[in-house]
Amino acid sequence: MNTSRRILLAGMAGLAVAPTAAAAAAPSAEPGDVTVAEERFARTIAAAHAPDIICARQAARYADAHWPEYVAAARAVIGSRA
């Protein structure tokens, strides 16, 4: 599976659990309370939600800046898979 397909699928999974609704329900996670898997998946979801998804560098920068907002969505998706 190539990277763009993974980003697209992660973005679609992130849309299933709206990050704005999840952020309103719970405060954003502290970086110390997040597992490596949750952080990586949150970064992937954030990259998929970047305003300019065509530019990989812009998506990576957006993911670096906004991944804590997507931790709740990542936890929900990882929890549903377990």
Side-chain angles (χ1 to χ4, degrees), residues 6-38:
R6 260 187 257 147
I7 290 173
L8 178 66
L9 291 174
M12 290 170 54
L15 289 175
V17 180
T20 53
S28 61
E30 294 295 321
D33 298 338
V34 180
T35 65
V36 173
E38 291 170 345

Side-chain angles (χ1 to χ4, degrees), residues 25-76:
S28 61
E30 294 295 321
D33 298 338
V34 180
T35 65
V36 173
E38 291 170 345
E39 179 182 343
R40 287 183 180 173
F41 197 63
R43 286 178 184 269
T44 304
I45 295 170
H49 286 122
D52 186 12
I53 193 74
I54 296 170
C55 178
R57 262 189 251 150
Q58 182 67 25
R61 276 187 253 142
Y62 183 85
D64 288 341
H66 296 281
W67 71 267
E69 300 167 15
Y70 294 91
V71 170
R75 285 181 177 160

